[in-house]
Amino acid sequence: MISSRNIGMVAAAATLLAAAPLSAIFQGWTWLIESIIAVAVVAGVAALTRLARAPLWGQVLGMLAGLMLALTWLFPSGQELFAILPTPGTFAYFGDLLAGSMQDMRSYGVEVPDTDPLLFIAVLGVGGVAVLVDVLAVGLRRPALAGLPMLAIYSVPVAVYVDSVPAVPFVVGAAGYLWLLVTDNVDRVRRFGRRFTGDGRDVDVWEASPLASAGRRLAAVGVALAVVLPLAVPGMTGGLLDSLSRGPGNGPGNGSGSGGTSGRIDLFASLAGQLNQSQVADLVKVKTSEQSPFYLRYAVADELRPAGFQARNPSGRSVNKDLPNPADRAGPGVQQTTYQATVEVTKSLSMSLMPVYAEPTRADDLSDNWLYDANQQVVFSNRENSRGRKYSFDYVRSTFTPDALRTAKPLPTEHPVRRQMTATPGPVPEVEELVKGLIQGKRTDYDRVLSIYKHFSADNGFSYRLSTESGSSGQDIVNFLTNKVGYCQQYAAAMAWLVRSAGIPARVAFGFTNGSKRDGDTFTLTNLNLHAWTEVYFDGAGWVPFDATPAYGVPGSTRSAWAPDTDAPETPSPDSSATSAPTDPGASTEPTSPDNADRDADDGLSLGGTTPNEQPPVWPWWAAALVALLVLLAVPALRRMALRRRRSGRAASVAMASAAVDGDSEPGARPVVVSADANRARADAHAAWAELLDTLVDFRVPVDPTETPRATADRLVRDALDGDDAIGSARLLGRAEERARYARDPLTGERLLPALRAVRAALATRADRRTRLLAAVLPPSVLLRWRTTMADRSSRMVALTGQARYRLLRWNPRRLLADRAAR
């Protein structure tokens, strides 16, 4: 018992060490303190139940009860008895916490705050793993299998972490697992007594030996390789190596307590490959009350790192709650109009972001799983995708006059937007020199931005082409500014970088242009309409779009009064003095460049068919899962029924043959004795005896494999059977098996099937209800046979592994050289 308690304590400690990766999810350490309390209670209850020599199922029930008491004390509902005993109100509160944890997991991104729902689900998970580890390591003496529930804890941060899980928590968890294995092995060695050396000296169990030292070294090297190898081999990891090489980013963080994470789409990756797609697929159909809408957007890249612009994890609240009102920040000269739009996403577009026009104020037909980030002005989800969705929303379209933007005052240096959205990874001399020359003599932020915007014109040598390297890093931007050839990604990123270098907040937006497929007020947007542009922040106006990409390369390109088409003819348009009405997308110039077939698109979009698809209902999946669970639970009972039917068929065949011979005899005639096949009779007797033994196991009657059939039958008659019919049947089965084993002529012509039924009925009458239920639903005989089969196969695998190791050792170069030298 002392060794069991020792292993139990190590199992509890190993569980806590395996939970170390959760530190990458939570902002604080409250989860660890509460988990220590829960695991300590589970380990203490397990030790007490083992001290009382309770069976394994009693230990499991005790540990679960202890975990429940710990959760009741850590998360009280106020309705407990004596402040610790749970009541129905406690379980209702736990249900509310579980529901709240689902909502928090959808609303928060890593690192999450210490909310009660998230702490409850974390402590419940760690406590449940502690129960499983204790059962496997102590109850079943299979500590190697305890690594599976430990791995389940580690899989949680791996699944939700955006970049990669830090390496240190993994090493800590692996150390706990190795500690558990070493403790179990030491305990197994102690069971054999003390070790002795060849010279007769006894050795303490902890004294180092070459084999033990080699095992420890191999374990340490294995863990080290698991951590270091992904860092050294390119392509084995996409997050850990990058996070170590980048260090802390200079990009913005939102600093709020709520969050979420998209982490789904690399907005710049492989953009050129998508631009060269020859297949055209309808992605979105949008119907809007606005005559000439601006671009339909779905994401922004607002974090500038050495590798280029990257999308920051969005954070926000449910899109069905009150959305920000753009009128609250509108300054003078800003005209705002409210419109309505209905968007239908086809099954060709699958992503965790939802296309909307900028500044939505109300949304319909979207679940609470969809959240809205007011800073990025994007709708996203951590649990659903946009495939086949149809939804409606109201939005505000803000338009500006150049004079209104010129009157916008520069943001203070400590303003969060300016501090975050003007950050650059470091000065790039070529960029700094270019920006300095462009903004020289410009008095307002708008004039500086307009000068940078006009720099990307055909008069300065810029042209639209896809035959260029993709990217938005500092070197990529310098190459683009030098070669002056690129597509929307490089135009948008270059302008945003230059505007940031001028000290003005800027970011890159992604979405769809209006295209040319229009039917009334309905636009059909395809992969050819995917596009990227720049947004600049002005005080009192918000994020103002600037599209520096040449209009001839962008179908459905839209220009405005504050950002006119720099490559358009100088002939003034009739409404050139209009405040801010954008041009009609249907009137946009058709591409005349040799590259007019090239289109803007973005990676991360799953292109498939073109037919809209409604989201399938969830209940069939739950029904299928329930049916699968019932089938899985019914497998042992079905297996038992198949065995009984096969064995009963053997015994019945002999009885029917005997009955047929007796029935054919005429009255008064001399009986004719027909000798049955001896081998068949033996097989039938063995089948009936095997069925009897399985029946005894099912009804919890001890079975001693060392007893003879007659001794087993006598013990069964003495201890478990009543009634002459059952007693005679048991003796008949024992006699048949005894004759089949030892006699030359087996017993033939006996009705073994009725005898089996009589014994089974007598055992069922004496058994309690629980035993009868288990015998019918989860037959212990089947479970025992499966467990024995698994143990035999495991032993066979160990033996094969040992043989393979022995053969490999025989081919050891040192051994071969030694043998050759001996010759």
Side-chain angles (χ1 to χ4, degrees):
M1 298 302 294
I2 295 178
S3 61
S4 297
R5 291 198 297 269
N6 183 32
I7 298 178
M9 294 299 108
V10 174
T15 301
L16 291 174
L17 293 177
L22 294 180
S23 61
I25 297 180
F26 286 92
Q27 294 177 353
W29 294 95
T30 307
W31 70 270
L32 179 58
I33 298 175
E34 295 180 345
S35 297
I36 291 175
I37 296 174
V39 173
V41 172
V42 170
V45 172
L48 291 177
T49 54
R50 282 190 285 268
L51 186 64
R53 299 185 181 277
L56 182 59
W57 62 267
Q59 298 176 24
V60 174
L61 292 180
M63 287 185 286
L64 292 177
L67 177 60
M68 184 58 61
L69 292 177
L71 292 174
T72 304
W73 184 70
L74 292 172
F75 303 95
S77 64
Q79 304 179 23
E80 292 76 19
L81 297 177
F82 307 107
I84 194 172
L85 296 179
T87 62
T90 303
F91 293 106
Y93 178 66
F94 286 171
D96 295 338
L97 289 178
L98 289 175
S101 66
M102 297 298 105
Q103 180 64 31
D104 287 350
M105 283 187 285
R106 291 190 294 264
S107 301
Y108 293 108
V110 291
E111 299 172 346
V112 300
D114 292 336
T115 63
D116 284 343
L118 293 178
L119 290 175
F120 175 79
I121 197 69
V123 176
L124 176 61
V126 174
V129 170
V131 174
L132 291 176
V133 171
D134 189 274
V135 171
L136 293 172
V138 184
L140 301 178
R141 297 311 300 265
R142 294 291 187 270
L145 295 179
L148 294 178
M150 292 182 181
L151 184 63
I153 298 180
Y154 187 74
S155 64
V156 174
V158 170
V160 302
Y161 214 76
V162 177
D163 295 326
S164 64
V165 180
V168 175
F170 170 76
V171 176
V172 173
Y177 179 56
L178 294 177
W179 183 19
L180 180 60
L181 295 180
V182 170
T183 303
D184 179 77
N185 288 333
V186 169
D187 179 70
R188 293 177 185 271
V189 172
R190 283 198 178 104
R191 295 185 179 186
F192 292 96
R194 300 182 65 85
R195 295 186 293 115
F196 291 88
T197 62
D199 55 2
R201 180 177 61 88
D202 60 337
V203 181
D204 185 78
V205 70
W206 284 104
E207 185 171 336
S209 65
L211 183 60
S213 300
R216 286 190 289 270
R217 285 196 295 268
L218 288 175
V221 171
V223 174
L225 287 177
V227 176
V228 176
L229 188 60
L231 301 178
V233 179
M236 291 191 64
T237 177
L240 181 59
L241 181 61
D242 294 339
S243 63
L244 291 178
S245 62
R246 285 195 303 261
N250 298 326
N254 93 358
S256 63
S258 62
T261 173
S262 63
R264 318 293 200 273
I265 301 176
D266 184 357
L267 297 173
F268 282 110
S270 304
L271 183 57
Q274 289 290 340
L275 291 176
N276 285 306
Q277 290 281 344
S278 59
Q279 179 184 5
V280 179
D282 292 343
L283 301 183
V284 176
K285 293 183 178 180
V286 56
K287 181 178 181 181
T288 175
S289 58
E290 185 178 5
Q291 180 64 26
S292 300
F294 195 68
Y295 301 152
L296 186 71
R297 62 201 301 280
Y298 60 80
V300 295
D302 54 8
E303 188 172 12
L304 183 54
R305 295 184 178 182
F309 279 92
Q310 296 183 7
R312 182 167 47 90
N313 301 325
S315 61
R317 56 189 302 178
S318 172
V319 73
N320 294 321
K321 297 182 179 179
D322 294 335
L323 299 182
N325 186 1
D328 295 340
R329 56 162 175 73
V334 178
Q335 181 181 356
Q336 294 183 332
T337 308
T338 301
Y339 299 98
Q340 295 180 345
T342 300
V343 175
E344 182 179 355
V345 182
T346 71
K347 70 176 183 179
S348 302
L349 179 62
S350 178
M351 59 182 180
S352 60
L353 300 162
M354 197 69 79
V356 294
Y357 289 113
E359 301 180 302
T361 58
R362 185 186 61 84
D364 293 328
D365 305 323
L366 289 177
S367 67
D368 289 336
N369 293 333
W370 290 97
L371 312 176
Y372 179 70
D373 188 328
N375 295 325
Q376 299 186 24
Q377 298 173 335
V378 298
V379 177
F380 68 99
S381 175
N382 296 322
R383 293 295 181 268
E384 300 183 19
N385 61 70
S386 60
R387 182 186 177 95
R389 298 282 181 179
K390 185 176 182 180
Y391 53 97
S392 302
F393 60 92
D394 297 342
Y395 67 96
V396 171
R397 171 71 187 279
S398 299
T399 55
F400 324 92
T401 62
D403 293 338
L405 296 179
R406 283 192 178 91
T407 58
K409 298 180 180 180
L411 294 177
T413 305
E414 298 301 323
H415 195 282
V417 174
R418 179 170 181 177
R419 187 176 66 253
Q420 297 171 355
M421 300 301 172
T422 58
T424 58
V428 179
E430 295 86 350
V431 173
E432 298 294 331
E433 183 178 356
L434 175 61
V435 171
K436 183 178 180 180
L438 291 175
I439 66 175
Q440 184 176 5
K442 307 300 180 183
R443 297 181 176 274
T444 66
D445 283 351
Y446 171 72
D447 290 327
R448 298 185 183 99
V449 173
L450 189 62
S451 177
I452 295 174
Y453 170 77
K454 290 182 178 181
H455 175 72
F456 299 97
S457 64
D459 294 340
N460 291 324
F462 284 88
S463 61
Y464 184 89
R465 187 185 304 170
L466 288 176
S467 57
T468 181
E469 296 293 334
S470 62
S472 62
S473 65
Q475 191 60 43
D476 294 327
I477 298 302
V478 172
N479 294 337
F480 169 68
L481 294 175
T482 302
N483 301 328
K484 300 183 178 181
V485 175
Y487 47 97
C488 66
Q489 165 187 328
Q490 293 159 317
Y491 278 95
M495 180 177 175
W497 194 310
L498 267 60
V499 171
R500 285 194 174 200
S501 298
I504 304 171
R507 65 188 184 187
V508 179
F510 296 84
F512 297 87
T513 63
N514 294 328
S516 57
K517 298 175 64 175
R518 179 172 182 175
D519 183 11
D521 55 357
T522 300
F523 296 88
T524 299
L525 309 180
T526 70
N527 55 317
L528 303 183
N529 301 122
L530 289 163
H531 188 47
W533 63 94
T534 306
E535 292 182 344
V536 183
Y537 190 88
F538 291 92
D539 188 23
W543 291 102
V544 179
F546 288 82
D547 189 0
T549 308
Y552 65 78
V554 183
S557 175
T558 298
R559 292 299 187 263
S560 55
W562 64 87
D565 186 1
T566 57
D567 298 327
E570 296 183 359
T571 304
S573 62
D575 58 347
S576 59
S577 60
T579 56
S580 61
T583 61
D584 188 348
S588 62
T589 306
E590 290 296 327
T592 58
S593 170
D595 301 310
N596 59 358
D598 301 333
R599 298 295 185 264
D600 289 307
D602 186 47
D603 188 33
L605 307 179
S606 177
L607 299 180
T610 59
T611 304
N613 182 36
E614 295 294 334
Q615 287 291 322
V618 180
W619 67 265
W621 294 100
W622 286 102
L626 180 60
V627 171
L629 179 61
L630 293 178
V631 171
L632 183 62
L633 293 177
V635 169
L638 296 176
R639 175 61 177 168
R640 185 71 179 93
M641 292 174 59
L643 285 174
R644 184 180 297 124
R645 178 171 299 180
R646 185 168 67 247
R647 293 165 177 170
S648 300
R650 290 179 178 271
S653 63
V654 175
M656 291 175 62
S658 176
V661 171
D662 294 341
D664 292 340
S665 301
E666 296 181 359
R670 183 178 179 180
V672 179
V673 178
V674 179
S675 60
D677 184 9
N679 293 331
R680 179 64 179 273
R682 284 192 176 90
D684 295 335
H686 292 328
W689 185 252
E691 175 63 24
L692 176 63
L693 294 182
D694 282 351
T695 303
L696 297 181
V697 173
D698 291 340
F699 289 100
R700 305 294 183 182
V701 177
V703 175
D704 188 354
T706 63
E707 288 181 337
T708 63
R710 179 178 298 182
T712 300
D714 292 340
R715 180 171 56 82
L716 181 61
V717 169
R718 184 178 61 252
D719 298 338
L721 294 180
D722 295 327
D724 296 337
D725 187 18
I727 292 175
S729 298
R731 294 190 186 279
L732 172 61
L733 294 172
R735 186 168 64 254
E737 176 64 13
E738 186 179 43
R739 290 283 298 273
R741 289 186 185 182
Y742 309 118
R744 177 179 297 175
D745 298 326
L747 190 64
T748 60
E750 298 293 346
R751 298 176 178 272
L752 301 181
L753 180 58
L756 283 172
R757 290 175 179 172
V759 174
R760 186 184 302 112
L763 293 176
T765 303
R766 290 176 57 92
D768 55 29
R769 183 180 302 174
R770 176 178 177 275
T771 302
R772 292 196 300 269
L773 179 62
L774 290 178
V777 179
L778 293 175
S781 60
V782 175
L783 301 181
L784 177 62
R785 183 175 288 103
W786 287 350
R787 187 161 59 247
T788 304
T789 302
M790 291 181 61
D792 292 342
R793 291 181 179 177
S794 177
S795 301
R796 193 177 299 112
M797 290 297 298
V798 172
L800 292 176
T801 304
Q803 293 176 5
R805 180 175 176 273
Y806 174 74
R807 292 175 181 176
L808 290 176
L809 289 177
R810 289 181 58 85
W811 289 96
N812 189 296
R814 296 174 59 184
R815 182 185 181 89
L816 294 176
L817 292 176
D819 292 343
R820 183 175 297 179
R823 294 176 184 174

